């Protein structure tokens, strides 16, 4: 999972693109990633795989974080509160925020 400032398009000039690593998880798409991508999700071209098909997913960063906050607010287990706070603080750090989240799922669907 990355954050980025642009939606990938064919023949796009990459010089102004910002790409920030957010998290990595092998062989599956965690529920948190799905919630983070729930802000106006759409398929898009991959930034890391040379594939002409739209094999990545992109969603609005701010909406995704807001949806995650609402989702995590329902968790009242005391032991979960510190990791929840840590995760939300990480996502609110200015250096991690961009306009979009992008999930590169080509390795899950095509390259296992």
């Amino acid at each position: 999972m990355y954050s980025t400032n642009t939606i990938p398009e064919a023949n796009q000039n990459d010089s102004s693109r910002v790409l920030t690593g957010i998290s990595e998880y092998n062989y599956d798409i965690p529920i948190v990633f799905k919630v983070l991508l729930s802000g106006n999700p759409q398929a898009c071209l991959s930034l890391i795989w040379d594939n002409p098909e739209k094999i990545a997913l992109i969603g609005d960063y701010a909406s995704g974080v807001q949806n995650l906050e609402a989702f995590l607010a329902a968790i009242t287990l005391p032991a979960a509160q510190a990791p929840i706070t840590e995760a939300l603080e990480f996502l609110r750090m200015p250096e991690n925020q961009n306009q979009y989240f992008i999930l590169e799922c080509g390795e899950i669907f095509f390259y296992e």
Side-chain angles (χ1 to χ4, degrees):
M1 170 86 64
Y2 300 92
S3 69
T4 188
N5 60 332
T6 61
I7 297 174
E9 297 177 8
N11 303 316
Q12 185 177 36
N13 179 351
D14 297 340
S15 65
S16 63
R17 176 177 293 125
V18 175
L19 191 62
T20 304
I22 299 296
S23 183
E24 185 173 332
Y25 195 88
N26 294 330
Y27 310 112
D28 196 9
I29 301 173
I31 186 78
V32 170
F33 288 14
K34 294 173 186 179
V35 175
L36 287 172
L37 285 166
S38 66
N40 192 29
Q42 56 186 301
C44 68
L45 295 174
S46 173
L47 294 171
I48 61 174
W49 299 104
D50 185 21
N51 190 310
E53 301 296 321
K54 293 181 176 183
I55 62 169
L57 299 173
I58 199 162
D60 180 69
Y61 190 101
S63 297
V65 171
Q66 184 177 21
N67 294 343
L68 182 64
E69 288 171 341
F71 177 81
L72 294 175
I75 300 172
T76 58
L77 183 67
Q81 298 313 301
I84 287 171
T85 299
E86 182 180 343
L88 293 175
E89 286 175 354
F90 175 83
L91 292 169
R92 291 182 189 126
M93 293 172 67
E95 60 268 28
N96 294 329
Q97 295 180 24
N98 284 293
Q99 188 169 354
Y100 304 101
F101 282 112
I102 184 165
L103 179 64
E104 292 288 351
C105 38
E107 65 185 2
I108 295 169
F109 296 121
F110 301 109
Y111 303 103
E112 285 189 42

